[in-house]
C-alpha cells in the first residue's frame, strides 16, 4: 500500500521530515553524478533534486558537506549466523561500513529452532540498523544425504514461509537437488512460481550441460562460482552472477575478470560476502571493502557501486524498495568523501543516521530471548569409548578429509595408512591424521560417527563447535577420544559454542547460547574471543592454520567438494553417499 505521507511530501503537499542538502547524488539508475538534495519522509526518499517545496519550519536539515550520496550497500547472500553474532550485533557491525541490507536464508536458526526461530530473528532485524530480507531455503538442511536437525524444512512449510512479508524467494536451491529431482525442492519451486517468487542458486563447479538443466528449472542467480569461465557459462544461460568475496573465499580478484576481461555486462553482477567473521570485518570493512577491491581490479567506481546496490536489488526484485536513492525507496544513504577510495563517513538506514566515521551512533541492544532459541540442545553426555574407528588387523588404509590451506571451500581427500591397536584405528600426529566426529545434538538419534582428517596440524587435544552449517550439530576434531568427548560435553553444557581442550582440561571456550549458534555480544568482543580461540588452537594445540575454528565450522557442508562429515558419517560429496572411512585393513 502506498505511504500517503511520503506521497504528499513528494507532491509538495506536505513537508519533509528531513532534507539532505549540499550533496552530490550518485544516481545508480542512470550512471550520473550531479548535485541534488534529498527529501525524506517516514524513513523513505520522497523527492530528489530541487526539494525547496518540501522544506518546512520543522524539517531537519542534514548538511552533506559536499560529499557523494550513494545508495546503501546490499549483501546479496549472507549466512548471518556464521558470524556467530546475533542479528542485532551483526547489523550493528556491518552498518558501520555502509551495508544497509542483507539477503539471508537464516538457515542455521531454521534447522535449530524452526520457523518460529526465523520469525524471532526477523522481528529482531526490524529493530536493527540493517534490513534483512529472507530467502526461504529450498529445503533444509542442505546436506545430501539429509542429516538430522532440530527442524527439517520441507515443501509443505513453503506454503507458510512464502507468504511471510520478508520472503523474497527460494534460497540455496542446490544444483544436485534440482538435477536429481528432489521432490521437496521441486515442489517448493512450484509454490514459488505460483507466488511469483524466484529460485536462487548454489551450483559450484558446474559444467555446461548441467548449467542448461539448472537454468531450465527457473533458477535466476548464483553466488557459487569458482572461475570467470564458469560465471560466463551461467550468464549465457540466463543466470545472473553474485561474486563472493570473504576471507574464507577470496574470489573477487579472479571472478571480476568476467567483466574486466571477458566483457560481460556489469549490470548482471552483484556482490556478496556469504560467510564473515567479526575479525575480518573490523579489520578491513565489509561490502565497502568489496567495492574498493572491485575498483582496484579495474571496474569503474560507478559500476562497483551499482554491483553493490541496484544490481543486487533488481536480482531479488527489491529495487522498488532498496538499491537507489529515488522516491519511494528506503532512505538508505551513504555519505562518501572519495568514490575511488570508498569509505562511508556517515551511514543512514531508513532515514536514521546509524553510523559516523566507522562508529555506531547508538550501542546495540539485543532483545530478550524466548525458549524457542534459548533451549535447542538435547544431547546427552558423550562417553569417550564411543569415539573410535574399528577395524581388523594391524594396518588400515583410511579415507581422510584433507583441508585446503588457502580456501576453506575445497576439501580434497587422501588415503592414509594408520596403525590398528586392539581393533581400533589409531590417529597419527606425525602424518597429521587426527580424528573428526559429529555428535547429533537435537535428540533425534544417538549418532556419533568418527572419521579422519588431515590438515589441522593439531599435536594434542581437541576443538569443537556447534556453529556448524548446514545442520549445526557438534563437530569435533582431535588427537584422542577423551579430549574430544570432553569438548563435546562442554559445548553441550554451554548450550552451544566453541571449545578447546588439552590433556583433560578445557582451555578455551566461546559460548554461543542463542540457538546454540550465535551470541548477543558486540562485534569487538566477538573478534577478541574468536582470535583467542584460534590462538589457543595454534599456540597450545599446535595447529598451523590461520583459523582452525574457521575450517572446523564448514566440515559438515556437503555442497563443498570433495569430502565432508555429518551425523550420518563420512560423506563423499561427489557421489553424495555415506562412506566407510576404512578403505582396507590387514
Amino acid at each position: 500500500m502506498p505511504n500517503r505521507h511520503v506521497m504528499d511530501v513528494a507532491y509538495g503537499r506536505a513537508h519533509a521530515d528531513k532534507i539532505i542538502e549540499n550533496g552530490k547524488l550518485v544516481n545508480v539508475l542512470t550512471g550520473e553524478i550531479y548535485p541534488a538534495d534529498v527529501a525524506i519522509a517516514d524513513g523513505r526518499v520522497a523527492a530528489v533534486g530541487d526539494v525547496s517545496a518540501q522544506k518546512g519550519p520543522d524539517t531537519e536539515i542534514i548538511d552533506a558537506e559536499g560529499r557523494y550520496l550513494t545508495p546503501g550497500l546490499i549483501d546479496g547472500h549472507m549466512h548471518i549466523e556464521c558470524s556467530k553474532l546475533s542479528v542485532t550485533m551483526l547489523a550493528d557491525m556491518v552498518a558501520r561500513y555502509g551495508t544497509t541490507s542483507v539477503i539471508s536464508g537464516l538457515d542455521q536458526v531454521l534447522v535449530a529452532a524452526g520457523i518460529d526461530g526465523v520469525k524471532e530473528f526477523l522481528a529482531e532485524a526490524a529493530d536493527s540498523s540493517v534490513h534483512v530480507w529472507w530467502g526461504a531455503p529450498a529445503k533444509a538442511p542442505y546436506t545430501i544425504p539429509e542429516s538430522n536437525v532440530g527442524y527439517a524444512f520441507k515443501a509443505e512449510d513453503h506454503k507458510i514461509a512464502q507468504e511471510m512479508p520478508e520472503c523474497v524467494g527460494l534460497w540455496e536451491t542446490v544444483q544436485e537437488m534440482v538435477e536429481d529431482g528432489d521432490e521437496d525442492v521441486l515442489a517448493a519451486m512450484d509454490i514459488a512460481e505460483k507466488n511469483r517468487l524466484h529460485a536462487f542458486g548454489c551450483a559450484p563447479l558446474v559444467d555446461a550441460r548441467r548449467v542448461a538443466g539448472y537454468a531450465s528449472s527457473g533458477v535466476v542467480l548464483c553466488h557459487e562460482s569458482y572461475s570467470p569461465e564458469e560465471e560466463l557459462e551461467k550468464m549465457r544461460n540466463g543466470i545472473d552472477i553474485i561474486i563472493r568475496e570473504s576471507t574464507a573465499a577470496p574470489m573477487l580478484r579472479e571472478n571480476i575478470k568476467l567483466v574486466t576481461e571477458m566483457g560481460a555486462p556489469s549490470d548482471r553482477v552483484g556482490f556478496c560476502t556469504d560467510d564473515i567473521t567479526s575479525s575480518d570485518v573490523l579489520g578491513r570493512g565489509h561490502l565497502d571493502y568489496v567495492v574498493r577491491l572491485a575498483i582496484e581490479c579495474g571496474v569503474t567506481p560507478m559500476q562497483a557501486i551499482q554491483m553493490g546496490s541496484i544490481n543486487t536489488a533488481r536480482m531479488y526484485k527489491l529495487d522498488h524498495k532498496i538499491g537507489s536513492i529515488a522516491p519511494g525507496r528506503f532512505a538508505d544513504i551513504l555519505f562518501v568523501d572519495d568514490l575511488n577510495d570508498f569509505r562511508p563517513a556517515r551511514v543512514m538506514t531508513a532515514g536514521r543516521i546509524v553510523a559516523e566515521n566507522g562508529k555506531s551512533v547508538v550501542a546495540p541492544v539485543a532483545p530478550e530471548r524466548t525458549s524457542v532459541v534459548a533451549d535447542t540442545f538435547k544431547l546427552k553426555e558423550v562417553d569417550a569409548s564411543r569415539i573410535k574407528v574399528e577395524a581388523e588387523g594391524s594396518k588400515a588404509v583410511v579415507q581422510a578429509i584433507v583441508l585446503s590451506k588457502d580456501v576453506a571451500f575445497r576439501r580434497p581427500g587422501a588415503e592414509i595408512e594408520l596403525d590398528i591397536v586392539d581393533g581400533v584405528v589409531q590417529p597419527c600426529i606425525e602424518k597429521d591424521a587426527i580424528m573428526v566426529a559429529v555428535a547429533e545434538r537435537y535428540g533425534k538419534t544417538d549418532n556419533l560417527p568418527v572419521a579422519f582428517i588431515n590438515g589441522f596440524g593439531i599435536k594434542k587435544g581437541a576443538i569443537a563447535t556447534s556453529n556448524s552449517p548446514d545442520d549445526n550439530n557438534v563437530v569435533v576434531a582431535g588427537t584422542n577420544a577423551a579430549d574430544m568427548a570432553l569438548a563435546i560435553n562442554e559445548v553441550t553444557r554451554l548450550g552451544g559454542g566453541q571449545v578447546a581442550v588439552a590433556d583433560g582440561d578445557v582451555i578455551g571456550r566461546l559460548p554461543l547460547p542463542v540457538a546454540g549458534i550465535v551470541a548477543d555480544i558486540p562485534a569487538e568482543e566477538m573478534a577478541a574471543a574468536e582470535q583467542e580461540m584460534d590462538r589457543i588452537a595454534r599456540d597450545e594445540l599446535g595447529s598451523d592454520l590461520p583459523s582452525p575454528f574457521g575450517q572446523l565450522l564448514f566440515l559438515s557442508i556437503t555442497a563443498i567438494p570433495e569430502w565432508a562429515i555429518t551425523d550420518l558419517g563420512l560423506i563423499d560429496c561427489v557421489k553424495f553417499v555415506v562412506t566407510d572411512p576404512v578403505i582396507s585393513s590387514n
Side-chain angles (χ1 to χ4, degrees), residues 521-541:
I521 61 177
E524 288 79 5
E525 188 177 335
M526 178 62 76
E530 62 193 15
Q531 288 168 19
E532 175 62 8
M533 293 300 290
D534 279 332
R535 184 203 66 76
I536 290 171
R538 290 192 308 267
D539 296 351
E540 301 188 35
L541 303 185

Side-chain angles (χ1 to χ4, degrees), residues 92-114:
D92 171 74
M93 177 177 68
V94 300
R96 305 178 207 175
Y97 301 96
T99 300
T100 56
S101 286
V102 168
I103 319 297
S104 181
L106 297 176
D107 37 22
Q108 288 181 262
V109 71
L110 177 62
V111 298

